[in-house]
């Protein structure tokens, strides 16, 4: 079938063996690639009830039928596993240039199982895999690791052959439950602790190499379509905004909506937000737009700090979510200091959203006399010290490294801790954006803004954020389209560029599959049912589809609150429309 390699690679780290296995057309037509195929493999191969940190838990890398093609937004890969943060379904995506190297190795998916006896590096290429000792690089930060493994095992920069690496830092090695997998220095598969699973396997890095390309059903059509999209998108206001200012543009919008989580979720507005805005970033630092391969939006910011104690420090970022997590939740009113904390997280390999949330929880624990530690809102150095302790699992850091559910229990702060299913939310307060509250509650991977990006229609006024009745129907439309984008795999920021009919054209031009909106929705339905069944098999309970109690009880000073009865009513509608019973179980 066009658009697919029709095979996947299964690697066993325990005995250092691999198998090249076929994928039949029926599976590919039912689930496509990316999230669809990987969810099918995860459900089929993972032993039910497996400990996420045990050798039996699979770590799956996947690209999709459009990867390495001329389709804009297509340089992206996904990682899928059982999450050590939630104990449930885990997916995380990253862009950059490395996704095209992963795809060039010539597999629809790479499944890694087992546990290496020694720290190791994997080399994946079209003929299979090779295993190398990584004892000499165990302990290096993510940037050093990427440089070293690319130098040792990569070295391709010309012709049809591509190469690139995904790596973990010390946090992943130490199985910090919210550690990330990184590539291209600053691009992270950031959420749900995929780096911890890689670390539990003693796997420091995977280098991908190859010259394979997917055969396209209509390559000329893809070229024409992509040229047309580039011309049409030139004056798109969303594209222009992200290109000019990157995701920090959201700081102003979310503060204006009074939905900017501040002081560990106790306020929805940060009175110092202007110091954290996109304008401040571009005024105070040297900032260059930076793009993944096959992208004209270039939402990335290559930022160099110009003044102060961090002058000369350069990162790609900070993204809106990092600004909210350290700026809002921990009340740090300096972008240069947020760049500094961002750099620490990137080097150590930790998710900034979870890290900021956990630092905020720790500050509240101190203020409520639950623990005796010197840290407070705005105290950058204490927060930096805490991040390092988490990565090294030292003292209080060891408690936080085990995730928010564990820390909240130990500190008797379960009513205060903000998470859904064990994953801390991103920067959109669901007391203001109520449909986003439903999206957080039902997302497979815990509190997540990316499964539906429902803050987008609520902020734009397409869906009134205060109205809860009828919300589920629109949410499902968003979710289903984005499930498809994750099966293709496409970058989220192209959601406004590719409506349903464009997705139909893309899948036909790449694979030959004729699928109108209804047919694509059927594929999304199969995938969402599968991931829901995975979660139920792994112990998901109806009460897990809820928001933290604080959101039902604590009103923001703007008067915003979300009633538990409203969330329950939205859930009921959602289950019904998904074809699930009253407990959220697919019929
Ligand atoms: S919009 Fe941003 S994340 Fe998406 S492909 Fe472009 S640069 Fe990468």
């Amino acid at each position: 079938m066009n658009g697919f390699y029709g095979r996947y690679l299964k690697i066993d780290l325990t005995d250092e063996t691999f198998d090249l296995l076929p994928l039949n057309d029926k599976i590919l037509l039912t689930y496509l690639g990316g999230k669809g195929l990987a969810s099918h493999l995860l459900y089929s191969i993972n032993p039910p009830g497996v400990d996420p940190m045990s050798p039996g838990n699979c770590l799956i890398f996947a690209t999709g039928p459009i990867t390495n093609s001329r389709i804009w937004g297509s340089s992206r890969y996904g990682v899928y596993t059982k999450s050590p943060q939630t104990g449930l379904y885990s997916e995380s995506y990253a862009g950059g240039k490395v996704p095209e190297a992963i795809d060039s190795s010539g597999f629809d998916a790479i499944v890694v199982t087992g546990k290496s006896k020694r720290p190791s590096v994997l080399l994946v290429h079209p003929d299979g895999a090779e295993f190398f000792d990584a004892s000499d690089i165990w302990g290096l930060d993510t940037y050093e690791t990427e440089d070293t493994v690319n130098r040792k095992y990569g070295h391709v920069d010309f012709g049809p052959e591509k190469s690139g690496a995904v790596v973990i830092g010390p946090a992943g090695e130490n199985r910090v439950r919210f550690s990330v997998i990184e590539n291209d220095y600053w691009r992270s598969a950031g959420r749900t602790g995929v780096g911890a699973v890689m670390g539990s396997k003693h796997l420091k890095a995977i280098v991908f190499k190859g010259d394979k390309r997917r055969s396209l059903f209509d390559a000329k059509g893809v070229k024409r379509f992509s040229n047309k999209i580039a011309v049409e998108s030139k004056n798109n206001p969303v594209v222009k905004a992200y290109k000019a200012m990157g995701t920090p543009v959201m700081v102003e919008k979310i503060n204006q909506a009074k939905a900017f989580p501040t002081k560990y979720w106790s306020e929805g507005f940060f009175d110092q937000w202007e110091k954290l805005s996109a304008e401040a970033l571009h005024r105070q630092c040297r900032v260059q737009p930076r793009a993944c391969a096959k992208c004209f939006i270039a939402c990335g910011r290559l930022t160099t700090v110009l003044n102060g104690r961090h002058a000369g420090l350069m990162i790609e970022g900070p993204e809106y979510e990092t600004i909210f997590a350290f700026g809002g939740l921990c009340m740090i009113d300096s972008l240069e200091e947020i760049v500094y904390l961002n750099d620490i997280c990137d080097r150590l390999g930790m998710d900034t959203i979870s890290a900021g949330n956990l630092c905020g929880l720790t500050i509240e624990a101190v203020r409520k006399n639950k623990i005796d530690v010197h840290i407070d809102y705005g105290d950058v150095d204490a927060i930096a010290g805490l991040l390092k302790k988490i990565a090294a699992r030292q003292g209080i850091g060891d408690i936080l490294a085990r995730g928010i559910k564990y820390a909240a229990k130990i500190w008797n702060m379960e009513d205060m801790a903000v998470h859904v299913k064990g994953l801390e939310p991103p920067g959109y307060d669901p007391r203001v954006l109520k449909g986003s509250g439903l999206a957080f509650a039902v997302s497979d991977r815990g509190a997540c803004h990316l499964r539906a990006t429902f803050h987008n229609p609520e902020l734009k006024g397409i869906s009134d954020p205060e109205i809860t009745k009828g919300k589920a129907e629109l949410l499902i439309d968003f979710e289903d389209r984005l499930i498809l984008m994750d099966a293709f795999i496409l970058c989220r920021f192209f959601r406004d560029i590719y409506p349903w009919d464009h997705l139909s054209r893309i899948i036909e031009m790449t694979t030959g599959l004729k699928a109108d909106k209804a047919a694509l929705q059927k594929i999304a339905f199969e995938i969402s049912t599968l991931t829901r069944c995975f979660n139920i098999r792994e112990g998901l309970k109806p009460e897990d589809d809820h928001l933290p109690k604080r959101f039902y009880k604590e009103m923001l000073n703007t008067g915003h609150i979300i009633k538990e009865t409203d969330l329950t009513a939205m859930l009921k509608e959602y289950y019904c429309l998904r074809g699930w019973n009253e407990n959220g179980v697919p019929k």
Side-chain angles (χ1 to χ4, degrees):
M1 191 176 164
N2 283 300
F4 295 97
Y5 292 113
R7 63 178 196 159
Y8 72 101
L9 177 66
K10 187 161 180 259
I11 297 165
D12 188 333
L13 288 169
T14 307
D15 50 17
E16 300 196 343
T17 56
F18 66 85
D19 287 307
L20 307 172
L21 296 162
L23 287 165
N24 65 45
D25 285 359
K26 187 164 176 261
I27 300 277
L28 299 173
L29 285 168
T30 307
Y31 297 113
L32 301 179
K35 173 172 182 158
L37 174 63
S39 301
H40 164 73
L41 293 172
L42 189 69
Y43 191 90
S44 315
I45 301 173
N46 243 28
V50 71
D51 178 343
M53 302 282 206
S54 72
N57 190 22
C58 298
L59 184 66
I60 302 176
F61 294 81
T63 48
I66 66 164
T67 319
N68 239 334
S69 75
R70 286 170 172 255
I71 299 288
W72 297 108
S74 60
S75 184
R76 211 152 181 84
Y77 70 95
V79 191
Y80 311 84
T81 188
K82 180 175 172 181
S83 166
Q85 256 178 305
T86 64
L88 299 170
Y89 178 79
S90 158
E91 60 185 320
S92 204
Y93 300 84
K97 299 194 168 44
V98 170
E100 298 205 333
I102 296 175
D103 197 70
S104 297
S105 65
F107 300 98
D108 291 306
I110 297 110
V111 179
V112 183
T113 65
K115 177 181 177 180
S116 178
K117 291 175 193 67
R118 52 182 183 166
S120 61
V121 173
L122 260 179
L123 176 61
V124 171
H125 49 64
D127 297 326
E130 292 171 51
F131 306 80
F132 298 96
D133 188 358
S135 304
D136 57 333
I137 57 169
W138 199 249
L140 293 189
D141 75 25
T142 54
Y143 307 161
E144 294 164 335
T145 305
E146 205 176 331
D147 284 345
T148 309
V149 297
N150 276 332
R151 205 169 43 240
K152 265 182 141 167
Y153 309 105
H155 76 69
V156 183
D157 219 359
F158 55 89
E161 189 155 299
K162 293 188 179 177
S163 113
V166 300
V167 307
I168 59 167
E173 293 173 14
N174 292 331
R175 290 165 289 130
V176 172
R177 281 173 195 258
F178 52 96
S179 42
V180 305
I181 295 175
E182 266 177 26
N183 57 277
D184 293 279
Y185 287 165
W186 299 290
R187 292 277 163 183
S188 305
R191 304 235 68 198
T192 60
V194 291
V197 175
M198 193 157 148
S200 75
K201 298 186 176 306
H202 269 166
L203 185 55
K204 182 68 174 166
I206 310 176
V207 179
F208 297 88
K209 213 159 138 175
D211 59 359
K212 298 294 174 197
R213 291 291 181 280
R214 292 166 189 269
S215 64
L216 299 180
F217 176 71
D218 178 9
K220 283 187 184 150
V222 168
K223 190 176 170 192
R224 274 196 306 272
F225 175 81
S226 293
N227 289 344
K228 190 163 169 279
I229 290 290
V231 173
E232 283 174 4
S233 304
K234 257 192 181 137
N235 293 318
N236 181 312
V238 178
V239 172
K240 282 165 99 174
Y242 279 121
K243 191 166 195 163
M245 292 296 183
T247 59
V249 79
M250 297 300 284
V251 172
E252 180 175 2
K253 286 190 200 326
I254 307 294
N255 272 284
Q256 278 173 349
K258 305 289 188 287
F260 189 73
T262 302
K263 206 175 179 192
Y264 194 58
W265 298 97
S266 60
E267 293 167 20
F269 177 78
F270 189 29
D271 58 8
Q272 302 295 312
W273 72 264
E274 279 168 287
K275 292 185 186 169
L276 307 181
S277 67
E279 286 73 18
L281 181 73
H282 288 75
R283 192 172 57 240
Q284 290 162 209
C285 300
R286 184 165 62 244
V287 182
Q288 292 167 273
R290 193 171 151 95
C292 303
K294 310 287 165 57
C295 176
F296 52 70
I297 298 180
C299 77
R301 309 286 91 181
L302 192 64
T303 298
T304 308
V305 175
L306 295 177
N307 299 305
R309 63 178 187 153
H310 307 303
L313 180 60
M314 186 181 76
I315 63 163
E316 187 178 334
E319 297 270 355
Y320 166 73
E321 298 301 341
T322 306
I323 298 176
F324 124 82
F326 289 119
L329 294 182
C330 302
M331 301 182 81
I332 292 166
D333 64 359
S334 157
L335 277 166
E336 286 83 353
E337 297 299 345
I338 291 172
V339 167
Y340 167 58
L341 297 175
N342 197 154
D343 183 61
I344 291 174
C345 288
D346 282 350
R347 282 178 187 277
L348 297 174
M350 294 193 292
D351 173 27
T352 56
I353 299 179
S354 287
N357 267 278
L358 285 168
C359 291
L361 178 71
T362 306
I363 292 166
E364 282 300 320
V366 170
R367 289 185 156 215
K368 290 184 170 40
N369 295 319
K370 303 280 187 187
I371 52 173
D372 184 15
V373 180
H374 291 290
I375 189 168
D376 203 357
Y377 288 114
D379 186 346
V380 178
D381 288 335
I383 290 168
L386 185 59
L387 294 174
K388 290 172 190 168
K389 278 189 178 147
I390 293 171
R393 301 193 76 133
Q394 284 170 355
I396 185 182
D398 183 51
I399 293 173
L400 293 164
R402 293 165 195 250
I404 192 163
K405 284 206 264 190
Y406 181 83
K409 196 168 176 200
I410 293 286
W411 295 342
N412 192 20
M413 291 190 70
E414 282 164 312
D415 287 347
M416 185 80 200
V418 175
H419 66 89
V420 176
K421 303 181 175 82
L423 190 74
E424 305 85 351
Y428 312 91
D429 199 307
R431 284 166 288 194
V432 179
L433 305 171
K434 295 185 170 55
S436 297
L438 176 62
F440 289 179
V442 297
S443 148
D444 299 325
R445 69 174 191 179
C448 172
H449 60 303
L450 290 171
R451 306 283 59 79
T453 63
F454 209 69
H455 52 277
N456 200 30
E458 291 196 305
L459 288 167
K460 283 183 178 162
I462 295 166
S463 174
D464 185 338
E466 276 302 309
I467 292 175
T468 52
K469 200 164 165 30
K471 200 124 248 188
E473 191 177 353
L474 187 60
L475 175 70
I476 287 175
D477 192 70
F478 269 71
E479 273 186 343
D480 281 353
R481 191 158 58 89
L482 298 190
I483 287 171
L484 262 302
M485 287 178 74
D486 289 338
F488 277 33
I489 298 173
L490 271 167
C491 168
R492 277 293 175 274
F493 290 107
F494 284 77
R495 70 194 158 210
D496 295 328
I497 290 172
Y498 298 138
W500 282 103
D501 60 327
H502 280 28
L503 295 185
S504 294
R505 286 189 65 193
I506 290 170
I507 204 63
E508 184 176 349
M509 288 182 300
T510 50
T511 67
L513 174 68
K514 277 189 188 303
D516 58 10
K517 180 177 176 182
L520 289 178
Q521 282 174 316
K522 169 93 174 37
I523 295 171
F525 170 81
E526 295 291 348
I527 298 171
S528 68
T529 304
L530 185 64
T531 55
R532 184 72 178 180
C533 288
F534 179 90
N535 273 348
I536 289 169
R537 188 179 83 181
E538 300 307 314
L540 181 84
K541 305 267 182 321
E543 58 268 29
D544 296 326
D545 286 344
H546 260 275
L547 293 172
K549 291 263 182 289
R550 276 181 71 188
F551 292 156
Y552 304 138
K553 289 180 183 162
E554 258 181 52
M555 189 180 277
L556 292 168
N557 57 12
T558 48
H560 289 96
I561 193 154
I562 182 165
K563 289 190 206 136
E564 188 165 7
T565 48
D566 283 344
L567 197 277
T568 306
M570 286 194 287
L571 269 178
K572 202 171 159 194
E573 262 184 31
Y574 181 91
Y575 288 172
C576 179
L577 290 166
R578 276 268 176 241
W580 302 348
N581 73 12
E582 68 281 5
N583 289 321
V585 178
K587 286 173 188 166

